[in-house]
CSV table of all heavy atoms in Angstrom, one decimal:
chain,number,residue,atom,x,y,z
A,1076,LEU,N,-3.9,-11.0,4.6
A,1076,LEU,CA,-4.7,-11.6,5.7
A,1076,LEU,C,-4.9,-13.1,5.4
A,1076,LEU,O,-4.8,-13.9,6.4
A,1076,LEU,CB,-6.0,-10.9,5.8
A,1076,LEU,CG,-6.0,-9.5,6.4
A,1076,LEU,CD1,-7.4,-8.9,6.4
A,1076,LEU,CD2,-5.4,-9.5,7.8
A,1077,ALA,N,-5.0,-13.4,4.2
A,1077,ALA,CA,-5.2,-14.9,3.9
A,1077,ALA,C,-3.9,-15.7,4.2
A,1077,ALA,O,-4.0,-16.9,4.5
A,1077,ALA,CB,-5.6,-15.1,2.4
A,1078,ARG,N,-2.8,-15.0,4.2
A,1078,ARG,CA,-1.5,-15.7,4.5
A,1078,ARG,C,-1.2,-15.6,6.0
A,1078,ARG,O,-0.3,-16.3,6.5
A,1078,ARG,CB,-0.4,-15.0,3.7
A,1078,ARG,CG,0.4,-16.1,2.9
A,1078,ARG,CD,1.5,-15.5,2.1
A,1078,ARG,NE,1.4,-14.1,1.8
A,1078,ARG,CZ,2.4,-13.3,1.6
A,1078,ARG,NH1,3.6,-13.7,1.7
A,1078,ARG,NH2,2.2,-12.1,1.2
A,1079,HIS,N,-1.9,-14.8,6.7
A,1079,HIS,CA,-1.6,-14.6,8.1
A,1079,HIS,C,-2.9,-14.7,9.0
A,1079,HIS,O,-3.4,-13.7,9.5
A,1079,HIS,CB,-1.0,-13.2,8.4
A,1079,HIS,CG,0.3,-13.1,7.7
A,1079,HIS,ND1,1.5,-13.5,8.2
A,1079,HIS,CD2,0.6,-12.6,6.4
A,1079,HIS,CE1,2.5,-13.3,7.4
A,1079,HIS,NE2,2.0,-12.8,6.3
A,1080,PRO,N,-3.4,-16.0,9.1
A,1080,PRO,CA,-4.7,-16.1,9.8
A,1080,PRO,C,-4.7,-15.6,11.2
A,1080,PRO,O,-5.7,-15.2,11.7
A,1080,PRO,CB,-4.8,-17.7,9.8
A,1080,PRO,CG,-3.6,-18.3,9.3
A,1080,PRO,CD,-2.8,-17.2,8.7
A,1081,GLU,N,-3.5,-15.5,11.9
A,1081,GLU,CA,-3.5,-15.0,13.3
A,1081,GLU,C,-3.9,-13.5,13.3
A,1081,GLU,O,-4.6,-13.0,14.1
A,1081,GLU,CB,-2.2,-15.3,14.0
A,1081,GLU,CG,-1.0,-14.6,13.6
A,1081,GLU,CD,-0.5,-14.8,12.1
A,1081,GLU,OE1,-1.0,-15.8,11.5
A,1081,GLU,OE2,0.4,-14.1,11.7
A,1082,VAL,N,-3.4,-12.8,12.2
A,1082,VAL,CA,-3.7,-11.4,12.1
A,1082,VAL,C,-5.2,-11.2,11.8
A,1082,VAL,O,-5.9,-10.4,12.3
A,1082,VAL,CB,-2.8,-10.7,11.0
A,1082,VAL,CG1,-3.2,-9.2,10.8
A,1082,VAL,CG2,-1.4,-10.8,11.4
A,1083,GLU,N,-5.6,-12.1,10.9
A,1083,GLU,CA,-7.0,-12.0,10.4
A,1083,GLU,C,-8.0,-12.2,11.6
A,1083,GLU,O,-8.9,-11.5,11.8
A,1083,GLU,CB,-7.3,-13.1,9.3
A,1083,GLU,CG,-8.7,-12.9,8.8
A,1083,GLU,CD,-9.0,-14.1,7.8
A,1083,GLU,OE1,-8.2,-15.0,7.6
A,1083,GLU,OE2,-10.2,-14.1,7.4
A,1084,GLU,N,-7.6,-13.2,12.5
A,1084,GLU,CA,-8.5,-13.5,13.6
A,1084,GLU,C,-8.5,-12.3,14.6
A,1084,GLU,O,-9.5,-12.0,15.2
A,1084,GLU,CB,-8.0,-14.8,14.3
A,1084,GLU,CG,-8.6,-16.0,13.7
A,1084,GLU,CD,-10.1,-16.0,13.3
A,1084,GLU,OE1,-10.9,-15.5,14.1
A,1084,GLU,OE2,-10.4,-16.3,12.2
A,1085,ARG,N,-7.3,-11.7,14.8
A,1085,ARG,CA,-7.3,-10.6,15.7
A,1085,ARG,C,-8.1,-9.4,15.2
A,1085,ARG,O,-8.8,-8.7,16.0
A,1085,ARG,CB,-5.8,-10.2,15.9
A,1085,ARG,CG,-5.6,-9.3,17.1
A,1085,ARG,CD,-4.1,-9.1,17.4
A,1085,ARG,NE,-3.9,-7.8,17.9
A,1085,ARG,CZ,-2.7,-7.3,18.0
A,1085,ARG,NH1,-1.6,-7.9,17.6
A,1085,ARG,NH2,-2.5,-6.1,18.5
A,1086,ALA,N,-8.0,-9.2,13.9
A,1086,ALA,CA,-8.8,-8.1,13.3
A,1086,ALA,C,-10.3,-8.4,13.4
A,1086,ALA,O,-11.1,-7.5,13.8
A,1086,ALA,CB,-8.4,-8.0,11.8
A,1087,ARG,N,-10.7,-9.7,13.2
A,1087,ARG,CA,-12.1,-10.1,13.3
A,1087,ARG,C,-12.6,-9.9,14.7
A,1087,ARG,O,-13.7,-9.4,15.0
A,1087,ARG,CB,-12.3,-11.5,12.8
A,1087,ARG,CG,-13.7,-11.9,12.8
A,1087,ARG,CD,-13.9,-13.3,12.0
A,1087,ARG,NE,-13.6,-13.2,10.6
A,1087,ARG,CZ,-12.7,-13.8,10.0
A,1087,ARG,NH1,-11.8,-14.6,10.6
A,1087,ARG,NH2,-12.5,-13.7,8.7
A,1088,ALA,N,-11.7,-10.2,15.7
A,1088,ALA,CA,-12.1,-10.1,17.1
A,1088,ALA,C,-12.3,-8.6,17.4
A,1088,ALA,O,-13.3,-8.3,18.2
A,1088,ALA,CB,-11.0,-10.7,18.0
A,1089,GLU,N,-11.5,-7.8,16.9
A,1089,GLU,CA,-11.7,-6.3,17.1
A,1089,GLU,C,-13.1,-5.9,16.5
A,1089,GLU,O,-13.8,-5.1,17.2
A,1089,GLU,CB,-10.6,-5.5,16.5
A,1089,GLU,CG,-10.7,-4.0,16.8
A,1089,GLU,CD,-9.7,-3.2,16.2
A,1089,GLU,OE1,-9.7,-3.0,14.9
A,1089,GLU,OE2,-8.8,-2.7,16.9
A,1090,VAL,N,-13.4,-6.3,15.3
A,1090,VAL,CA,-14.7,-6.0,14.7
A,1090,VAL,C,-15.8,-6.4,15.6
A,1090,VAL,O,-16.8,-5.7,15.9
A,1090,VAL,CB,-14.8,-6.6,13.3
A,1090,VAL,CG1,-16.2,-6.2,12.7
A,1090,VAL,CG2,-13.7,-6.0,12.4
A,1091,ALA,N,-15.7,-7.7,16.1
A,1091,ALA,CA,-16.8,-8.2,17.0
A,1091,ALA,C,-16.9,-7.4,18.2
A,1091,ALA,O,-18.0,-7.0,18.7
A,1091,ALA,CB,-16.5,-9.7,17.3
A,1092,GLN,N,-15.8,-7.0,18.8
A,1092,GLN,CA,-15.8,-6.2,20.0
A,1092,GLN,C,-16.4,-4.8,19.8
A,1092,GLN,O,-17.2,-4.3,20.6
A,1092,GLN,CB,-14.4,-6.2,20.6
A,1092,GLN,CG,-14.3,-5.7,22.0
A,1092,GLN,CD,-13.2,-4.7,22.2
A,1092,GLN,OE1,-12.2,-4.8,21.5
A,1092,GLN,NE2,-13.4,-3.7,23.0
A,1093,VAL,N,-15.9,-4.1,18.8
A,1093,VAL,CA,-16.3,-2.7,18.6
A,1093,VAL,C,-17.7,-2.6,17.9
A,1093,VAL,O,-18.5,-1.8,18.3
A,1093,VAL,CB,-15.3,-2.0,17.6
A,1093,VAL,CG1,-15.7,-0.6,17.3
A,1093,VAL,CG2,-13.9,-2.0,18.3
A,1094,LEU,N,-18.0,-3.5,17.0
A,1094,LEU,CA,-19.3,-3.3,16.2
A,1094,LEU,C,-20.3,-4.3,16.6
A,1094,LEU,O,-21.5,-4.0,16.5
A,1094,LEU,CB,-19.0,-3.5,14.7
A,1094,LEU,CG,-18.2,-2.5,14.0
A,1094,LEU,CD1,-18.1,-2.8,12.5
A,1094,LEU,CD2,-18.8,-1.1,14.2
A,1095,GLY,N,-19.9,-5.5,17.0
A,1095,GLY,CA,-20.9,-6.6,17.1
A,1095,GLY,C,-21.7,-6.7,15.8
A,1095,GLY,O,-21.0,-6.8,14.8
A,1096,GLU,N,-23.0,-6.7,15.9
A,1096,GLU,CA,-23.7,-6.8,14.6
A,1096,GLU,C,-24.3,-5.4,14.1
A,1096,GLU,O,-25.1,-5.3,13.2
A,1096,GLU,CB,-24.9,-7.8,14.8
A,1096,GLU,CG,-24.4,-9.2,14.7
A,1096,GLU,CD,-23.7,-9.6,13.4
A,1096,GLU,OE1,-24.3,-9.4,12.4
A,1096,GLU,OE2,-22.6,-10.1,13.5
A,1097,ARG,N,-23.8,-4.4,14.8
A,1097,ARG,CA,-24.3,-3.0,14.5
A,1097,ARG,C,-23.9,-2.6,13.1
A,1097,ARG,O,-22.8,-3.0,12.6
A,1097,ARG,CB,-23.7,-2.0,15.5
A,1097,ARG,CG,-24.6,-1.6,16.6
A,1097,ARG,CD,-24.0,-0.5,17.4
A,1097,ARG,NE,-22.6,-0.5,17.8
A,1097,ARG,CZ,-21.7,0.3,17.2
A,1097,ARG,NH1,-22.0,1.2,16.3
A,1097,ARG,NH2,-20.4,0.2,17.6
A,1098,VAL,N,-24.7,-1.6,12.5
A,1098,VAL,CA,-24.2,-1.0,11.3
A,1098,VAL,C,-23.1,0.0,11.8
A,1098,VAL,O,-23.3,0.8,12.7
A,1098,VAL,CB,-25.4,-0.2,10.7
A,1098,VAL,CG1,-24.9,0.7,9.5
A,1098,VAL,CG2,-26.4,-1.2,10.2
A,1099,PRO,N,-21.9,0.0,11.1
A,1099,PRO,CA,-20.9,0.9,11.6
A,1099,PRO,C,-21.2,2.4,11.3
A,1099,PRO,O,-21.8,2.7,10.3
A,1099,PRO,CB,-19.6,0.4,10.8
A,1099,PRO,CG,-20.2,-0.4,9.7
A,1099,PRO,CD,-21.5,-0.9,10.1
A,1100,GLY,N,-20.7,3.2,12.2
A,1100,GLY,CA,-20.8,4.7,12.0
A,1100,GLY,C,-19.4,5.3,12.0
A,1100,GLY,O,-18.4,4.6,12.2
A,1101,ALA,N,-19.4,6.6,11.7
A,1101,ALA,CA,-18.1,7.3,11.6
A,1101,ALA,C,-17.3,7.2,12.9
A,1101,ALA,O,-16.1,7.1,12.9
A,1101,ALA,CB,-18.4,8.8,11.3
A,1102,GLU,N,-18.0,7.2,14.1
A,1102,GLU,CA,-17.3,7.1,15.3
A,1102,GLU,C,-16.6,5.8,15.5
A,1102,GLU,O,-15.7,5.7,16.4
A,1102,GLU,CB,-18.3,7.4,16.5
A,1102,GLU,CG,-19.4,6.4,16.8
A,1102,GLU,CD,-20.5,6.3,15.7
A,1102,GLU,OE1,-20.5,7.1,14.8
A,1102,GLU,OE2,-21.3,5.4,15.8
A,1103,ASP,N,-17.0,4.8,14.8
A,1103,ASP,CA,-16.4,3.5,14.9
A,1103,ASP,C,-15.0,3.4,14.3
A,1103,ASP,O,-14.2,2.6,14.6
A,1103,ASP,CB,-17.2,2.4,14.3
A,1103,ASP,CG,-18.5,2.2,15.1
A,1103,ASP,OD1,-18.4,2.1,16.3
A,1103,ASP,OD2,-19.6,2.1,14.5
A,1104,VAL,N,-14.8,4.2,13.3
A,1104,VAL,CA,-13.6,4.1,12.5
A,1104,VAL,C,-12.3,4.3,13.4
A,1104,VAL,O,-11.4,3.4,13.3
A,1104,VAL,CB,-13.6,5.1,11.3
A,1104,VAL,CG1,-12.2,5.1,10.5
A,1104,VAL,CG2,-14.7,4.8,10.3
A,1105,PRO,N,-12.2,5.3,14.2
A,1105,PRO,CA,-11.0,5.4,15.0
A,1105,PRO,C,-10.9,4.3,16.1
A,1105,PRO,O,-9.8,3.9,16.6
A,1105,PRO,CB,-11.1,6.8,15.7
A,1105,PRO,CG,-12.5,7.2,15.5
A,1105,PRO,CD,-13.0,6.5,14.3
A,1106,ARG,N,-12.1,3.7,16.4
A,1106,ARG,CA,-12.0,2.6,17.4
A,1106,ARG,C,-11.5,1.3,16.8
A,1106,ARG,O,-11.1,0.4,17.5
A,1106,ARG,CB,-13.5,2.3,17.9
A,1106,ARG,CG,-14.0,3.5,18.8
A,1106,ARG,CD,-15.2,3.0,19.5
A,1106,ARG,NE,-16.0,4.2,19.9
A,1106,ARG,CZ,-17.3,4.3,19.7
A,1106,ARG,NH1,-18.0,3.3,19.1
A,1106,ARG,NH2,-17.9,5.4,20.1
A,1107,LEU,N,-11.6,1.2,15.5
A,1107,LEU,CA,-11.1,0.0,14.8
A,1107,LEU,C,-9.6,0.1,14.6
A,1107,LEU,O,-9.2,0.1,13.4
A,1107,LEU,CB,-11.9,-0.3,13.5
A,1107,LEU,CG,-13.4,-0.7,13.8
A,1107,LEU,CD1,-14.2,-0.6,12.6
A,1107,LEU,CD2,-13.5,-2.1,14.4
A,1108,ARG,N,-8.9,0.3,15.6
A,1108,ARG,CA,-7.5,0.7,15.6
A,1108,ARG,C,-6.6,-0.4,14.9
A,1108,ARG,O,-5.7,-0.1,14.1
A,1108,ARG,CB,-7.0,1.0,17.0
A,1108,ARG,CG,-5.7,1.6,17.3
A,1108,ARG,CD,-5.4,2.8,16.5
A,1108,ARG,NE,-4.1,2.7,15.9
A,1108,ARG,CZ,-3.7,3.3,14.8
A,1108,ARG,NH1,-4.5,4.1,14.2
A,1108,ARG,NH2,-2.5,3.1,14.3
A,1109,TYR,N,-6.9,-1.6,15.3
A,1109,TYR,CA,-6.0,-2.7,14.8
A,1109,TYR,C,-6.3,-2.8,13.2
A,1109,TYR,O,-5.3,-3.1,12.5
A,1109,TYR,CB,-6.3,-4.0,15.5
A,1109,TYR,CG,-5.3,-5.1,15.1
A,1109,TYR,CD1,-3.9,-4.9,15.4
A,1109,TYR,CD2,-5.7,-6.2,14.4
A,1109,TYR,CE1,-3.0,-5.9,15.0
A,1109,TYR,CE2,-4.8,-7.2,14.0
A,1109,TYR,CZ,-3.5,-7.0,14.3
A,1109,TYR,OH,-2.5,-8.0,13.9
A,1110,LEU,N,-7.5,-2.6,12.8
A,1110,LEU,CA,-7.8,-2.7,11.4
A,1110,LEU,C,-7.0,-1.6,10.6
A,1110,LEU,O,-6.4,-1.8,9.6
A,1110,LEU,CB,-9.3,-2.4,11.1
A,1110,LEU,CG,-10.1,-3.7,10.7
A,1110,LEU,CD1,-9.9,-4.8,11.8
A,1110,LEU,CD2,-11.5,-3.4,10.5
A,1111,SER,N,-6.9,-0.4,11.2
A,1111,SER,CA,-6.1,0.7,10.6
A,1111,SER,C,-4.6,0.2,10.5
A,1111,SER,O,-3.9,0.4,9.5
A,1111,SER,CB,-6.1,1.9,11.4
A,1111,SER,OG,-7.4,2.5,11.3
Side-chain angles (χ1 to χ4, degrees):
L1076 287 179
R1078 235 181 332 154
H1079 298 272
E1081 70 296 349
V1082 175
E1083 187 189 356
E1084 278 315 315
R1085 194 170 148 195
R1087 186 170 289 116
E1089 183 182 71
V1090 176
Q1092 192 226 327
V1093 173
L1094 292 182
E1096 283 301 307
R1097 261 188 317 109
V1098 172
E1102 68 290 354
D1103 293 314
V1104 175
R1106 290 192 203 131
L1107 294 163
R1108 184 58 227 152
Y1109 188 64
L1110 256 54
S1111 294

